[in-house]
Each structure stands twice: as C-alpha cells, then as structure tokens.
Amino acid sequence: MGKIIETSQWESEIHQIERNERVVGGRDGGVNIQAMQLANRTVYLSQAVDGLYTGESPFTSALSAQEAADAGTIPLNARVSVRSDTNLVWVNEYQNIEGIMKPTGKTLPASSYFRAVTAPIRLQNQYDDSGFAAGVVPSSRYSAVLTEISDSYLNELGVVNGVYSPGRTSTHVTVPVPVNWLGRYVIMSCLFHNSELITPVVGVYHQYITTGTNIISDGLVNSVERLSDNILRVVSSGRIPTDKGVTALAIGAGGFGTGSATKLICAPTFALSDAPILLETFEWDVLDSIRAERMNTISADVLSGSERINTLETKIEGLPTSFIRNFETNGAMEMQTAWTYYGSGVFESVAHVPELAEIGIAGGFRVTPPTGGNTASRFDSNAATISVVANAAPGERLLVGTVVYASDGTAFPNLTSSAGYTITQGGILTGANSWGHVHINSKARFYFAFFNTITAPISRLTIGFTASNSYFPDSMAVRYHTGIFVHHATDIRLPTESTIESYLGWDGQGSNAEFFQQLQDLLDASTDAVSPVLCLGGDGLAESYVEVFREGRKVRRSFTPFPAESLTTPNVFNFRSDYIDNVQIRQMTDDVAPYRALGTTIGANHGFSMTRITAAAHGKTTADIGSIYSNGSMQYVLVGIDTVNTVYLTSRADNSAVPVGTLTRVSGGVSTANIVGTAATTTQMYPPIKNREISCQIDGVTVTDKTGFFSYRDSVVFSESYEIMDKASIVAWYENYGASGVITPDGDAAIHVSISYAFDRDAHCTIYTDFLTLKDGVPLQDIMFLQAVRGAANDGAVRYYIPKSLPFSQFGLNFDFANIGSSSTAGWTDRVNLTPARCEPTGILADRLIQLSDRFGFAMGYLPVGSTSLSVRRTNATVKAMQISNNGTKVYLSAIDNGTRTLSAGQYYSTIGYRNLLINSHMRTAHYAVRTNAADYLYVDWHTHGVDRVPVPQDYAGRSFEVVEKSDNVAVLSNSLTNTLVVRVDESKSYGYLIIKII
C-alpha cells in the first residue's frame, strides 16, 4: 500500500476536483492532490507548534531559519524570531526578504544585557596593580596604602586588596570629577571591612566629598547594608552640582573606633546617569559585578556619558519611588524635616530584620545601652520651623510617633503602660494629652503622643526616650529606633491596632511615609493599592472589614460576622463603622433590622425582655437556672446568674419587666431561698434564635478561615440564616434544661430568616433577605428589612434626602425631605412616619433614604423586586413607607406594614436592599450602582438642572438598559450605555431622579 509523501510547507490553496476530471490514483493523481496539500499544511503547523513548545521560539539559529525559508515554510516578508548566540541578547528578529532571511536589527535583550548596560565604573583597587577601570586614578583623602585582604567572604568574591589608612578612624577613596560629570546623577558604593567590627560603632558610614566639604544635597540618598559581621556595603546617590566647585567624589566612612583597628575600603563603584537613580533599581550582585573580567569590558567612553550608561534613565522609568530616605548624612533625618538623632545608636540597614523590612523600614539607629545602665534615644527637630507642621492651623490636633524594634519582643523602652512616654517641644505645646504605644507586630511597636489643640506655630519637637523616665534598658537584645511620623488635622483618631494603618498619605506627613504606606499594604495583604481587600478579624467582637479604593479615595466598611453566643449580647452579623479617606462617616453598634413580630421587636440585635435584679447575697448558682418565682400575681423564671449579688429573670406569661421586691420561690433549682430585689434594670435576653449559620464566600469560593487578609475581584458575601423562637418555648426550655449549662435555648422555631450581605468591588453592600413563618399563629406588626443609624457629623451636618416624599407638618415643624431636610430631631415628641399620604401618589412608594454630609453620603433602599416590587410595594406597606426615630439615631424602611395581624405557616416575604457609601459630586445629588446576581441598577438624583453626563461603572458599559422609574422632568438622551449616560433635567420640578435597570 502506497503512502502520501508529506512536505512541511504552507499550501496557499486547496485543489478542487471538477466534474469532468478523471479519478486517477498515484502520487500526482487528481484524487490524491487534496490529501497531499492538507498533509503538507498539517506538517507545517505541527512543526511550528513543536517549535513553540520546545522554547526555541521557534528557530535555534539563523541557519535553521534559512532552511525553513528554503523549504517554503516562512512566507515572503514574514518575520520570525531566532535564538541569539550571544549572552546579551535572547532572540533576534529576522525577515524573509526575497527568500533570504535577514536580521531587522530588532532584538529582545537578555537579563545580562540590562546588567551590562547599567554596569557601573568599577574602581578595581582590589587587584594587585591597584589600577582602575577606564584609566581613572583614585586616591585616598588620607594617607593610604593598598593592603591585602584575608577575609574569606571577600576573597570568595574576588576581592583581594583594599585601601588602608594607618592610625586613622576614617577611610575614603576619592575619584576626580571631570567637567562632563557636573549636573549629572551619580551613585557611589563600596564595601567596608573592619577586622575588629563585631557590632556597629559610632560614626557616619557614608558621605559626599567635594574638595573636603560635604555640600552636595540635591536628591541625596544614603544607605548601608550589613553583609556579614565584619563587612558593610555603603551607598550614596544624588546629583553632582554644577555651581559648587566640585573636583572630587569620595565614598567611604569615618568614626570607626580606634585608629589601631584594621579598616579597609574595597570595591568602590561610581555610576552616572542623566536621570535620578533609585537605589532599588540596582541589584548588588557582588558575586558577578565586582569581578575584573566583567569590569574590564567597560571602556573609557562610559565616563563621558555613553548611551549605555544613559539607559539607566529608561531602566528606572515606571519603577516605584520609595527608597531609603529616612536618614541623611550625619544622622539627620529626611531633609524636608531636618530631624537630628541624639543617643548611642548607630545608623545601619535593617534589611536583615524581617519585622521591619516587611513594613518598609530600610534603616534605623541600633541602640546599645551600656552594661548596667540605661540609654536615652530621641529625634530632635533642630530647624527653625518644622516643615511638616508649618502649615498647621490653630485648632488642629497633632500626632507624633516613632518606631522601636526589639529582637526579643520584650526589651522595649520602659513603658509598661502609657505613663512615662516622653515627647517634648519648644514653643506652645507643653505636654501631650494622650500617649502610648501599639503593637505593629511581635517585635515592633509604634510609640505616639497626641496633642488636642494647636494654638500657635510650632518651632520644635522632640520625640523619643530619655534616661529620666522612658529609656532603653540594658539588654542583650538588639534594638532599633527608627522612623518619625508627624501629622496634624482636625479629625485625628488615636492609633490602635485596628486604626494605625489609617495614618498615612497626608501632604507633609513627615519622614516615614514609606513605613506607613508599606504598613498599609501589609495590613491590606496586597501590594496593589487598588485591589479590593477583605480582612477577617476573628470571633467575637473582633472587627472584620472590606476596603477598596474608589475615585482615588479609600473606602473601608467594618462589621462583626462571627459574634459569640451570650445571654446578654446578640450573636448576629453586625455593621460597625464606615470610613472614607479615614473620615468616619458612620459608627454603629445596632444597624441590622429586626422584625416587629411575636409581640415584640425580635431578631437581629433584639431579644425578649429580661430583668437584671439586684439581690444582695442571693445564694443562687447555675444549678438554680430554670427555677420559678412569684410576686403573688405573676411568675418569673431564673435565666442567668450575673454576680453574687445580681441575677437575671424573665416573665413566664408575657414580655413584661420583673418588679422590685420579694420574689417567692415556687419550684425548681437547688436553693430554696427567695429573691429579695432592691433594684431592677430591664434588658434583653439572648439568644432568641437557634440554628444560626454563617459562611463567607470570596468571588464565589467559600472561605472557612475566620482570620486573615484576602484580595478579591468582584464580591465578598456573608450568608447568614437562623430561626427565631417564640418566648413561651424558650421559657419552657429554661425550666426543663436551663441548669444544663447550654447557652442556646432550644425552643419551637416560629420564623426562619436568611440574609446575604454582598460587598462588591466598590464596597457597596447589596442585601438579599427573606422571612418565612414556620407555624400558624405568628403575630406580625411589620417587617423592616433595612434600618440605618444617622451618620456621624465628622464631615459636616447630616441631612436627609427622601425621593418621592411630599412636604408635611408635625410637632409644629415643616418637613420637606425631597428637597433635602435637616436630620435634627430637636422639638420632636414622637417618631415621624412617612405614610403613603406623605409620598407621591403614583409609581413606586418611597423606598430609599440618602444621608448627605459635605463630601460624602450614604444611601439605603429597596430594589423594585420581590415584596417591594412596583406591583406590590403600595399594597404591602399601607401603613407607612418608613419611620424616623425621634431620638435622632435611626431610620427604618418598611417592607411589609399593613397593621398587626396573625400569619399562618408558610407566609413568605423577600426583597433585595442595599447600603452604599457615596462620594458627593457638585454635578448631582447622588449617584450609585447596585449590583445583584441578576440585573444591576443605577440610581441618579439631581437638585440641579441641565444636561449631565453621568459616569457609568465600567462593568455596565455596552449592556442594554431600561428605565425603571424617573421623575417627569428627567429625559434620558442616551440609547446605549458607554462610559457615561447622558440625561437632561429640566426646571419643571425642584429635583429629579432616575432609576435604570441594566440587563
């Protein structure tokens, strides 16, 4: 049997057998032409794919590419990649020009190329001839000799000699500065070896030299890194001035102990660039970069600013700008604040300290107290005016802080509590109003002091520890004192473990912005500042939160999803606080909605009534829980022991309070003594619920951990469900099983509820909720699936905007919430009900509330779905649409409110609500998205008129939409969604609103 001979080539067309064509076999037979052409194409494609998979991408050499072109597998004018045979280039581009594969000149460099193009001018003084690359002649600032190095670490790197200055405590190597170096940026480094350097000693590790004077300051950055016990790498970077008469540069160090110590400067490096040089752009690969074989390839043209050195500018483009700048020459802090260090500490790199390095601290003063003594360590602002607080306005507050590390996690400055911490100042600040410290991690603390009010310009601050009170104690532990933080504002909060990360990023913040930014990133578990993040804080009242960056602002929403069961505290999901740009918008302890059912307000944070009775030496124990007592007319059951003098009781028959007086024991328990109450406090009995379940899903994946940081893309959902018991069955359980020690009663379930709290990529919260009766005879007054406390006044006075509400009067006061009214309840004698008569008579019954302050806002409402849809909204809420409490704290949205009635088993209600934080715009009153698992929504409100291009979320663009409801004065001009929605609002009405559904 014959076989088709396959050839690797691309067939431009496939033969078609015609009607009159003879069916002939054989190699050239018409019946085999198609099969051969398709086989050729298959072989061609197979070889191309194989080439990609082998990593040759796809040709191993120019010869193999030419062979492919000869075979016809590379079409004319096609471009291909060919592996390079040099170390500096990975692949070259070739093009088929009239059948000849020719290089185009385009290449893809290898990593070695980037190292080569930024290769520094290495002064090769470590070699026997003491010569320098490119003919540069070095010298020492002091009399020096070239000395052999016997250190094994350096010898393994190829370093054999160094410059030694006998009898001196300072050693430097200088290089003359040609004219064409002036005005350019330079980075200098060297290795410093001291045979007797076991621990750092006092002194300046690095400095600029210009004919004997340290005057270069433009972009000055200094760094030191410990490579071993005896070897440091020191680095300086900055711009060589053109007007200072600079004739020489030097890299070195001074103040290293006694003159008898053996000190050697070796492997100095100078590199030039026309752009600022960031220390982090250099990979100090000493095993490669200091070898002579590599350095000898650098020619003299490098000194005159060759193209290769200029590539430093392209290398640093787009790289982060954070680098070591906590400390300047002479131990001064960052140049903008001019802080000076006083104490026994020696500045060095802390790259080897993970607890500091992981939060972005690069350098610090290593504090070594004398044996048997204590050491002061402080930073002092010796400038005439401190720039970071120069613009502080009278009335603002001031927070200053510093960071301390202790290797053993315990040998910190003597500060067991807040007392004793020292911060002083010159001028108007005479003492801190608050002070203390917080733990950053197991070995680092942030010490702070807080001043309530600034009344005049500040001339001087000192932060640190003195021997008179809080000092560094004698210890074998390694301690670093590093980092200064200064901030002034009107809304400063005291640092805590949960708020310290909020202290970053203000203009003129101070010298350790990098530390706080890195700390923020660490706590967010993300290096991408715009990635949404979930932090799970754990069980009990530990707060969890989601945090996102929206419109350039940081939005954080905290909550407690995993509360513990207790007789006196609720155990359901709770909202806690909302922040935008560190401004607290809302503070909450009870902001999830209960149900007015079973004869009381129940579920969420509400339980049945119980009373805390004070009865001295009552003698009751847990064995008496469930025992029954009487005051002659009613009976009460003991449900908890508080203290030896207080107990908890609840009524057996109803939800009334327990009176003061003698309660005679009727039955149950061990103790037969009566309870003689002298005082009573009514409270709530928890939990009224059982079978509670809660889970967390991140982008649809269930997470079982209750602590940790998690990045998410689209959503974080907490799904909660529980059953609400009736009181009679709870009381019966206590009477029968209360002494068992079980916390949760197991009574008859009357109601089942489920709530899912879904936080989206903008930290908006969509709430899916339902209500189901489990037995007949459940009394119901109303269901308010949503409630909200009034926002905090940290961003100005809070005002209420309720779309579709009408003006009305009550308590002799006039209300017009549709045109934005005050949230003050001054003069109110009762709650305000927004009845259907106080709402527009058509369309959706008022179903949302917007709280507005100066810059930010909060929106709460129902979507037009389920039990709050357009078709049933008005029939399901005939009594009221919402209620505003007269104590000024809460607003309740009614979903089901038709008056008190009794429900039978299987009665079901559900809806979708939302709680969104808003960033205000002068173009419109409110504007927010609500995302659901089905359709999405966009809400827009105006109290202005004209044409508005409403921004549309990116995930809405290109989708179809329909108008759910709008005011008569609003016209939608857009036919489709792009990145904006064009709307006209005319003046026929004082305000306008628009709700669209995105499909």
Side-chain angles (χ1 to χ4, degrees):
M1 181 181 67
K3 298 180 180 179
I4 291 177
I5 299 174
E6 301 171 59
T7 303
S8 177
Q9 67 181 37
W10 182 257
E11 301 287 353
S12 61
E13 59 185 23
I14 303 298
H15 175 73
Q16 175 179 295
I17 299 176
E18 301 296 337
R19 290 180 180 273
N20 58 357
E21 188 173 353
R22 295 180 62 192
V23 179
V24 179
R27 180 174 181 180
D28 298 323
V31 74
N32 288 324
I33 293 176
Q34 288 179 326
M36 183 171 60
Q37 290 172 332
L38 292 174
N40 291 345
R41 281 189 176 184
T42 301
V43 173
Y44 173 86
L45 292 173
S46 176
Q47 291 181 352
V49 172
D50 288 344
L52 291 173
Y53 281 138
T54 59
E56 300 301 326
S57 200
F59 297 104
T60 59
S61 65
L63 178 60
S64 63
Q66 185 60 54
E67 290 174 349
D70 294 341
T73 60
I74 301 179
L76 291 177
N77 299 318
R79 298 171 185 261
V80 298
S81 296
V82 177
R83 287 293 298 267
S84 170
D85 56 1
T86 69
N87 291 331
L88 297 181
V89 176
W90 181 40
V91 292
N92 297 299
E93 185 184 74
Y94 278 71
Q95 186 175 16
N96 187 347
I97 306 297
E98 297 180 352
I100 305 299
M101 298 303 298
K102 297 182 179 180
T104 64
K106 295 182 178 180
T107 64
L108 183 60
S111 60
S112 56
Y113 168 82
F114 293 102
R115 292 177 180 171
V117 297
T118 59
I121 307 165
R122 179 69 62 180
L123 306 185
Q124 299 171 31
N125 62 301
Q126 67 266 36
Y127 294 96
D128 293 338
D129 61 358
S130 70
F132 291 83
V136 177
V137 180
S139 63
S140 174
R141 186 178 176 191
Y142 309 103
S143 58
V145 295
L146 193 66
T147 303
E148 183 178 354
I149 296 175
S150 60
D151 183 88
S152 60
Y153 183 96
L154 291 175
N155 291 161
E156 288 177 2
L157 303 180
V159 180
V160 295
N161 289 289
V163 174
Y164 171 50
S165 299
R168 305 245 359 139
T169 62
S170 300
T171 302
H172 302 83
V173 171
T174 63
V175 62
V177 175
V179 174
N180 56 11
W181 285 24
L182 300 180
R184 305 184 70 196
Y185 291 87
V186 65
I187 186 168
M188 312 185 301
S189 75
C190 72
L191 300 180
F192 178 84
H193 172 262
N194 186 338
S195 61
E196 300 175 16
L197 181 62
I198 305 302
T199 57
V201 291
V202 178
V204 179
Y205 283 91
H206 34 77
Q207 58 185 260
Y208 275 93
I209 307 296
T210 64
T211 58
T213 306
N214 296 327
I215 61 173
I216 296 180
S217 61
D218 186 3
L220 178 60
V221 179
N222 293 304
S223 169
V224 64
E225 179 183 2
R226 178 173 295 283
L227 302 180
S228 73
D229 286 343
N230 299 87
I231 300 167
L232 302 173
R233 177 189 294 117
V234 295
V235 184
S236 282
S237 177
R239 181 176 179 271
I240 306 172
T242 59
D243 58 347
K244 302 295 184 181
V246 179
T247 60
L249 294 173
I251 185 70
F256 284 92
T258 65
S260 61
T262 303
K263 298 169 291 295
L264 297 169
I265 294 293
C266 55
T269 299
F270 294 77
L272 299 172
S273 172
D274 290 329
I277 303 174
L278 305 187
L279 299 188
E280 60 197 25
T281 66
F282 279 82
E283 296 180 6
W284 300 102
D285 184 2
V286 292
L287 282 170
D288 180 37
S289 63
I290 71 173
R291 296 189 183 279
E293 292 80 4
R294 171 150 176 210
M295 292 308 119
N296 286 336
T297 64
I298 307 301
S299 60
D301 64 353
V302 172
L303 296 178
S304 60
S306 71
E307 181 178 353
R308 289 198 296 174
I309 281 294
N310 285 337
T311 57
L312 276 173
E313 182 174 2
T314 60
K315 178 175 170 58
I316 66 175
E317 281 185 14
L319 293 174
T321 58
S322 59
F323 52 88
I324 304 168
R325 58 175 184 172
N326 289 341
F327 302 92
E328 286 185 13
T329 307
N330 303 325
M333 295 300 289
E334 188 181 62
M335 51 193 168
Q336 69 166 344
T337 52
W339 293 84
T340 299
Y341 176 77
Y342 293 96
S344 66
V346 179
F347 176 67
E348 65 180 49
S349 168
V350 295
H352 61 291
V353 180
E355 290 81 6
L356 293 177
E358 71 183 4
I359 55 176
I361 292 186
F365 286 88
R366 180 167 174 165
V367 180
T368 309
T371 302
N374 301 294
T375 298
S377 181
R378 71 180 192 273
F379 298 112
D380 196 344
S381 63
N382 56 6
T385 301
I386 308 170
S387 62
V388 292
V389 290
N391 297 321
E396 288 189 319
R397 298 176 174 183
L398 175 67
L399 177 72
V400 292
T402 190
V403 178
V404 172
Y405 163 86
S407 61
D408 61 359
T410 60
F412 290 98
N414 290 350
L415 182 61
T416 57
S417 64
S418 295
Y421 180 70
T422 296
I423 174 166
T424 61
Q425 46 70 51
I428 54 89
L429 296 175
T430 58
N433 301 104
S434 300
W435 53 86
H437 69 273
V438 293
H439 293 252
I440 299 171
N441 51 47
S442 61
K443 297 182 181 180
R445 295 181 181 180
F446 177 68
Y447 290 82
F448 69 89
F450 174 73
F451 297 87
N452 276 340
T453 305
I454 298 171
T455 59
I458 301 169
S459 61
R460 181 179 179 183
L461 285 171
T462 300
I463 182 168
F465 312 91
T466 68
S468 62
N469 39 55
S470 297
Y471 43 73
F472 279 83
D474 181 34
S475 172
M476 294 298 292
V478 176
R479 272 81 53 84
Y480 286 102
H481 188 187
T482 181
I484 291 176
F485 176 71
V486 179
H487 174 56
H488 61 90
T490 58
D491 57 354
I492 295 177
R493 293 177 297 150
L494 292 182
T496 67
E497 273 78 359
S498 62
T499 65
I500 184 173
E501 71 274 14
S502 67
Y503 290 96
L504 74 153
W506 289 286
D507 292 338
Q509 164 179 294
S511 31
N512 215 24
E514 285 75 31
F515 156 62
F516 280 92
Q517 184 61 64
Q518 293 296 329
L519 177 60
Q520 175 73 35
D521 293 342
L522 178 69
L523 294 175
D524 288 349
S526 173
T527 57
D528 182 0
V530 298
S531 289
V533 171
L534 165 69
C535 168
L536 293 178
D539 288 322
L541 296 180
E543 291 191 8
S544 302
Y545 61 82
V546 294
E547 185 171 279
V548 305
F549 282 77
R550 181 179 3 130
E551 299 180 37
R553 296 182 181 274
K554 183 176 70 174
V555 178
R556 169 176 290 194
R557 312 193 72 177
S558 68
F559 38 83
T560 50
F562 310 117
E565 290 187 341
S566 164
L567 177 67
T568 57
T569 57
N571 63 321
V572 296
F573 180 101
N574 261 305
F575 295 103
R576 288 297 180 186
S577 60
D578 292 331
Y579 287 86
I580 301 179
D581 278 354
N582 306 309
V583 176
Q584 187 182 72
I585 307 303
R586 305 172 56 74
Q587 179 65 45
M588 302 153 281
T589 56
D590 172 20
D591 215 26
V592 289
Y595 312 90
R596 293 189 177 116
L598 299 173
T600 187
T601 301
I602 197 71
N605 290 303
H606 291 257
F608 293 106
S609 174
M610 70 176 181
T611 305
R612 182 176 182 265
I613 296 292
T614 299
H618 53 69
K620 305 298 180 181
T621 68
T622 55
D624 296 302
I625 293 177
S627 54
I628 301 171
Y629 301 82
S630 173
N631 68 345
S633 59
M634 300 219 18
Q635 290 188 341
Y636 307 95
V637 62
L638 181 69
V639 295
I641 310 299
D642 184 32
T643 69
V644 294
N645 297 314
T646 53
V647 293
Y648 291 106
L649 295 103
T650 190
S651 171
R652 296 186 73 199
D654 57 23
N655 210 35
S656 61
V658 181
V660 172
T662 299
L663 299 175
T664 303
R665 176 183 175 273
V666 176
S667 62
V670 176
S671 170
T672 60
N674 297 332
I675 297 175
V676 180
T678 57
T681 303
T682 301
T683 183
Q684 298 185 63
M685 177 174 61
Y686 300 101
I689 65 173
K690 68 175 185 177
N691 297 329
R692 177 183 183 260
E693 296 181 356
I694 190 165
S695 62
C696 175
Q697 298 84 36
I698 300 177
D699 291 328
V701 178
T702 299
V703 175
T704 57
D705 293 336
K706 293 184 179 181
T707 60
F709 293 89
F710 307 87
S711 296
Y712 70 93
R713 183 185 66 254
D714 294 318
S715 66
V716 169
V717 181
F718 291 92
S719 300
E720 180 181 48
S721 64
Y722 54 82
E723 296 170 346
I724 303 175
M725 300 172 282
D726 63 69
K727 186 178 181 184
S729 66
I730 292 176
V731 169
W733 181 89
Y734 271 109
E735 293 174 1
N736 292 309
Y737 306 105
S740 65
V742 177
I743 296 177
T744 304
D746 188 12
D748 294 338
I751 301 167
H752 183 278
V753 298
S754 62
I755 313 104
S756 291
Y757 302 92
F759 295 91
D760 68 11
R761 68 197 66 176
D762 294 324
H764 294 319
C765 184
T766 302
I767 302 173
Y768 305 83
T769 181
D770 68 9
F771 174 102
L772 172 67
T773 53
L774 299 178
K775 66 179 185 178
D776 292 335
V778 175
L780 175 71
Q781 179 181 339
D782 62 55
I783 298 175
M784 41 187 176
F785 284 123
L786 294 176
Q787 70 173 47
V789 300
R790 181 173 59 188
N794 296 326
D795 186 48
V798 177
R799 295 153 291 151
Y800 287 164
Y801 164 52
I802 304 176
K804 304 195 70 175
S805 63
L806 298 174
F808 64 92
S809 298
Q810 190 173 343
F811 321 119
L813 302 172
N814 296 321
F815 299 92
D816 187 4
F817 291 117
N819 286 295
I820 308 178
S822 169
S823 65
S824 171
T825 57
W828 293 25
T829 58
D830 200 354
R831 299 187 176 197
V832 167
N833 290 331
L834 195 65
T835 62
R838 290 173 173 179
C839 301
E840 291 183 2
T842 59
I844 301 174
L845 182 68
D847 61 356
R848 56 194 180 108
L849 163 78
I850 298 174
Q851 300 183 16
L852 297 169
S853 53
D854 292 347
R855 294 173 295 168
F856 309 122
F858 168 82
M860 172 184 70
Y862 295 130
L863 293 180
V865 298
S867 300
T868 58
S869 64
L870 177 61
S871 61
V872 299
R873 171 71 175 140
R874 290 185 178 272
T875 57
N876 278 344
T878 58
V879 175
K880 59 183 179 293
M882 69 182 69
Q883 184 181 80
I884 306 175
S885 174
N886 59 311
N887 61 14
T889 60
K890 293 179 183 176
V891 178
Y892 308 95
L893 283 187
S894 296
I896 308 299
D897 194 350
N898 293 320
T900 301
R901 54 201 172 104
T902 300
L903 302 181
S904 58
Q907 189 68 52
Y908 179 77
Y909 302 100
S910 68
T911 191
I912 302 175
Y914 56 85
R915 293 167 59 99
N916 291 2
L917 289 185
L918 312 182
I919 298 172
N920 297 345
S921 167
H922 69 281
M923 296 294 296
R924 56 199 72 88
T925 306
H927 164 230
Y928 56 91
V930 180
R931 297 178 175 90
T932 76
N933 293 330
D936 298 330
Y937 294 80
L938 184 68
Y939 287 77
V940 195
D941 296 88
W942 297 267
H943 287 80
T944 58
H945 304 94
V947 175
D948 185 15
R949 278 190 172 272
V950 180
V952 172
Q954 184 178 7
D955 55 310
Y956 285 16
R959 295 165 61 183
S960 301
F961 73 93
E962 61 186 38
V963 175
V964 176
E965 189 174 42
K966 66 180 183 66
S967 56
D968 293 339
N969 62 331
V970 168
V972 179
L973 304 183
S974 295
N975 294 318
S976 61
L977 290 177
T978 59
N979 58 352
T980 60
L981 178 72
V982 183
V983 179
R984 178 187 293 116
V985 183
D986 68 38
E987 298 180 359
S988 61
K989 192 173 182 177
S990 60
Y991 74 101
Y993 55 86
L994 170 67
I995 308 168
I996 66 170
K997 177 180 179 181
I998 294 87
I999 303 170

